[in-house]
Amino acid sequence: EADIYQTPRYLVIGTGKKITLECSQTMGHDKMYWYQQDPGMELHLIHYSYGVNSTEKGDLSSESTVSRIRTEHFPLTLESARPSHTSQYLCASSEGPNTQYFGPGTRLTVL
Amino acid sequence: GENVEQHPSTLSVQEGDSAVIKCTYSDSASNYFPWYKQELGKRPQLIIDIRSNVGEKKDQRIAVTLNKTAKHFSLHITETQPEDSAVYFCAAHNYGQNFVFGPGTRLSVLP
């Protein structure tokens, strides 16, 4: 079934660790996005990509980085996690001017 | 750039009553306006959308209206049910730009 997948769904790590949040979509969409969201609060765009080898920073300053080597894959990496990174991270994708679909999210806790 | 405002931030209604959430946008070039519903602990899901060449769209108990001149659009939910309780996000999109989301409205339907 065409969908967006995120792993892990939950992650608890210690300060200073490097982590990568995975996002894959099987819908063939060209655009992909990463949002940071505290539960039930605003969606903050942190990174986006319009296609392979295209990545841009979003509106919210973030210490994370992303890559887009394959159309379907858009991982987000934190080189050194801090407690301020504790949040939910949502991946999304869209095709052209059409609807944006969200993944199930990764809930990150940094101790 | 685009800016989307959303009101109210919280809304409580009695079961069976109607609920209305309003959004305004700033960029007259925006031409696609989706609404998302996010239940507790889940991903945002598209519930209805409207394009700029249409003034109103309805899907069962949900309707969206768009006033391009005034640059505002509204979500109308009739005969509310407890399962309508969630956070609702509006968004505006202009082809070639990113989606810009409103800050969200927390709707509570009281039995």
Side-chain angles (χ1 to χ4, degrees), chain A residues 4 6 14 20 22 24 26 30-32 34 36 40 45 48 56 61 66 68 70 76-77 81 83 87 91-92 94 106:
Chain A
I4 301 178
Q6 290 187 244
T20 296
E22 300 288 348
S24 293
T26 57
D30 53 357
K31 297 182 180 178
M32 296 188 74
W34 276 104
Q36 184 176 338
L45 180 66
Y48 60 98
E56 300 287 345
S61 175
V66 293
R68 188 92 182 274
R70 303 197 318 263
L76 180 144
T77 298
S87 189
C91 181
S94 68
T106 293

Side-chain angles (χ1 to χ4, degrees), chain A residues 11-25:
Chain A
L11 181 60
V12 181
I13 60 167
T15 296
K17 298 291 186 183
K18 177 180 179 179
I19 60 168
T20 296
L21 308 184
E22 300 288 348
C23 175
S24 293
Q25 51 99 0

Side-chain angles (χ1 to χ4, degrees), chain B:
Chain B
E2 177 66 277
N3 181 55
V4 177
E5 296 184 357
Q6 184 171 346
H7 299 281
S9 57
T10 60
L11 178 61
S12 293
V13 299
Q14 290 295 134
E15 183 177 355
D17 288 349
S18 295
V20 180
I21 302 170
K22 298 181 180 180
C23 287
T24 61
Y25 61 100
S26 60
D27 186 353
S28 57
S30 288
N31 53 20
Y32 175 60
F33 308 93
W35 283 90
Y36 289 83
K37 174 184 180 183
Q38 187 177 27
E39 296 176 79
L40 188 64
K42 300 201 174 171
R43 71 180 90 181
Q45 299 259 15
L46 178 76
I47 55 173
I48 196 166
D49 57 11
I50 192 166
R51 297 195 184 270
S52 58
N53 58 346
V54 176
E56 184 175 358
K57 185 176 179 180
K58 190 173 182 181
D59 182 3
Q60 300 182 357
R61 297 186 297 109
I62 293 172
V64 57
T65 58
L66 171 65
N67 183 326
K68 287 173 53 181
T69 303
K71 289 189 282 189
H72 67 71
F73 56 111
S74 299
L75 177 71
H76 305 255
I77 306 174
T78 58
E79 301 172 20
T80 54
Q81 300 167 4
E83 52 265 38
D84 294 328
S85 295
V87 179
Y88 291 81
F89 294 96
C90 64
H93 181 256
N94 175 19
Y95 185 72
Q97 306 295 322
N98 286 323
F99 287 81
V100 177
F101 287 86
T105 295
R106 186 175 302 273
L107 173 65
S108 299
V109 180
L110 309 173

